[in-house]
Amino acid sequence: MFNPLKIFFPKKMLGIDIGASAIKIVEVSRWGGGKTLENYGQIKSNLLYRDSYGSSQEKSSYLLSNDFTAKVIRGILDEAKIKTKEAIFSLPDFSTFCTSFDLPAMTEKEIPGAIRYNASQYITLPVSEVTLDWQILPKTPGDKNSSLRVLLVAVPNQVVQDYQSIARMAGLNLYALESEAMGIARALAKNNKKVVCLVDMGVRSSTINIVDKGFLKKSYSFNFNSNQFTQTISSVLGIGPEQAEDLKNKEGLMYTRQDVVKTLYLLIDPLLIEVKNISADFFQKEKKQIEEIYLTGGPSNIPGLKEYFAETLKKNVLVPNCFSGFLYPPILEQTLRQMSPSFSTAVGVALGGLGI
Ligand SMILES: Nc1ncnc2c1ncn2[C@@H]1O[C@H](COP(=O)(O)OP(=O)(O)OP(=O)(O)O)[C@@H](O)[C@H]1O
Ligand SMILES: [Mg+2]
């Protein structure tokens, strides 16, 4: 969160995730000890990018102009009749830089200066060109070491300015910006007492995150693009992209043709190897085993994917529901369960703005 001076949390908040596959918005509110899903909306990118950008999903760049993005956001808000103005945007992993390091014990006042000083060792951009956000991670009980463990997120100032102008043009108040990884960790693992590996599969990239007792400890980004599934099915079977997308969503890894399924396994395996390596590295450094694996991001719904993860990694694998714990019309139960993987980022950043 980049808003240390805001002490009072608003009652309603928008979470906005400008993803590569869609722009997703949720409106959430809090009351007493509870939270309500007030509204949600999205526009899928195949409706936005078809003409201007073809199928190229270029990493490290924004696909749409600020101006156009703002218009699309305004369109979603008007369509869903959302009046709330306070908004938190999630920052894609390619535009943020996340690292953790230790600082010697010091007073609270000294921390910001020490973090800025240390940041320059870890960030390739000059510190003057980035906005820094950090969390001091809690100590493991019994840890005698007096140093402070810092999780640092650095965002180029240009990126912050882009989001400020998108918010302004869409008629919103930018309450805060937050990295996707922090958002999903809050949405899916905040009150979890375990060590969880949270895998977020996206279109532009994917992240593997370690959340220890509700705190994000590590976040790594990979070039795993879930649209490859559709492209592979389309080329192996010689069918069009829409039909291939449908087959992926309905049959996925449960499809009867083993040649197709085996080709899909080959796409997933590099991600599984990364999960294994990261888990082993975490164990070596912190002496803690990953207890559960959570999948999120649209592709988590691919039939058989969760089972393939579980079988390969020999761990319990879940697709948690970011809407559980919210009040919402019961008729939406099934729809929200389906939507959960692609809305977890928007939900997580919005909840941060309510202080939940
Ligand atoms: N029900 C479903 N079953 C299988 N795959 C799905 C389903 N719904 C969405 N997907 C796939 O999920 C992907 C979109 O996921 P998501 O919405 O999480 O991406 P994104 O957030 O826009 O991407 P990024 O985070 O990289 O910007 C697409 O490849 C889409 O085909
Ligand atoms: Mg995403």
Side-chain angles (χ1 to χ4, degrees):
M1 295 283 144
F2 303 135
N3 250 333
L5 299 177
K6 297 228 165 119
I7 298 161
F8 300 105
F9 293 105
K11 287 245 177 316
K12 280 192 186 177
M13 185 58 72
L14 301 178
I16 304 184
D17 173 13
I18 306 174
S21 85
I23 296 180
K24 300 147 230 180
I25 303 182
V26 291
E27 181 188 31
V28 299
S29 65
R30 76 190 159 99
W31 43 270
K35 53 191 178 181
T36 299
L37 174 67
E38 297 282 343
N39 217 326
Y40 63 85
Q42 70 170 324
I43 287 192
K44 298 219 164 130
S45 65
N46 52 357
L47 300 172
L48 308 176
Y49 302 134
R50 182 170 286 156
D51 301 327
S52 41
Y53 294 93
S55 63
S56 83
Q57 237 95 40
E58 215 178 293
K59 221 184 146 187
S60 313
S61 70
Y62 292 96
L63 301 165
L64 303 170
S65 68
N66 291 347
D67 183 36
F68 188 64
T69 305
K71 284 199 184 108
V72 174
I73 291 172
R74 196 62 257 162
I76 301 172
L77 296 172
D78 291 346
E79 174 80 24
K81 300 196 173 53
I82 293 173
K83 299 270 180 297
T84 300
K85 297 240 169 302
E86 297 293 327
I88 301 188
F89 287 68
S90 64
L91 295 167
D93 56 87
F94 67 79
S95 70
T96 52
F97 177 84
C98 183
T99 187
S100 53
F101 54 84
D102 287 330
L103 285 180
M106 59 180 70
T107 66
E108 217 160 284
K109 259 188 155 167
E110 291 168 321
I111 294 174
I115 288 177
R116 281 195 85 73
Y117 180 76
N118 274 269
S120 56
Q121 294 172 34
Y122 300 96
I123 303 168
T124 45
L125 282 170
V127 175
S128 60
E129 288 176 27
V130 295
T131 303
L132 300 177
D133 186 25
W134 65 83
Q135 273 181 7
I136 305 292
L137 297 171
K139 284 194 187 317
T140 316
D143 185 356
K144 298 262 177 343
N145 190 343
S146 64
S147 62
L148 303 168
R149 180 120 272 250
V150 179
L151 178 78
L152 177 77
V153 179
V155 187
N157 292 338
Q158 182 58 50
V159 172
V160 176
Q161 284 160 20
D162 282 339
Y163 279 87
Q164 282 167 338
S165 76
I166 290 171
R168 196 178 49 245
M169 287 190 280
L172 297 172
N173 302 330
L174 182 63
Y175 187 79
L177 291 169
E178 190 175 50
S179 71
E180 302 187 83
M182 294 237 196
I184 54 169
R186 181 181 304 103
L188 304 174
K190 184 163 185 249
N191 296 317
N192 203 307
K193 297 276 173 284
K194 295 181 175 157
V195 183
V196 174
C197 177
L198 195 49
V199 183
D200 178 19
M201 291 165 287
V203 169
R204 239 168 335 200
S205 63
S206 297
T207 59
I208 299 177
N209 311 282
I210 296 183
V211 186
D212 182 1
K213 295 201 181 68
F215 282 86
L216 179 68
K217 285 229 165 144
K218 297 271 174 193
S219 182
Y220 305 88
S221 178
F222 298 94
N223 275 330
F224 172 82
N225 167 354
S226 65
N227 280 352
Q228 289 170 309
F229 290 118
T230 309
Q231 284 152 12
T232 301
I233 296 174
S234 163
S235 67
V236 175
L237 293 177
I239 56 177
E242 265 141 48
Q243 226 185 325
E245 175 79 12
D246 199 48
L247 198 146
K248 178 196 72 177
N249 295 353
K250 295 209 178 103
E251 313 265 349
L253 302 172
M254 313 300 274
Y255 189 44
T256 45
R257 275 198 41 189
Q258 279 307 303
D259 56 330
V260 177
V261 174
K262 283 202 179 119
T263 327
L264 297 178
Y265 284 160
L266 293 179
L267 297 176
I268 306 162
D269 289 345
L271 191 64
L272 293 172
I273 292 170
E274 295 295 355
V275 172
K276 272 189 196 160
N277 290 344
I278 287 170
S279 306
D281 189 54
F282 190 73
F283 182 73
Q284 206 201 353
K285 295 207 174 93
E286 308 240 353
K287 303 284 167 285
K288 287 181 193 170
Q289 289 280 5
I290 302 294
E291 292 165 272
E292 275 181 343
I293 301 201
Y294 287 1
L295 303 184
T296 196
S300 314
N301 279 335
I302 293 177
L305 185 72
K306 187 174 80 168
E307 290 74 11
Y308 184 57
F309 265 74
E311 200 178 291
T312 316
L313 299 169
K314 312 264 181 302
K315 299 265 184 210
N316 198 13
V317 181
L318 311 172
V319 179
N321 184 351
C322 64
F323 296 109
S324 71
F326 275 95
L327 210 63
Y328 53 77
I331 193 165
L332 290 178
E333 178 78 38
Q334 268 307 100
T335 314
L336 295 179
R337 175 89 236 169
Q338 267 283 321
M339 279 170 33
S340 164
S342 39
F343 272 78
S344 52
T345 307
V347 167
V349 297
L351 284 179
L354 296 181
I356 294 177

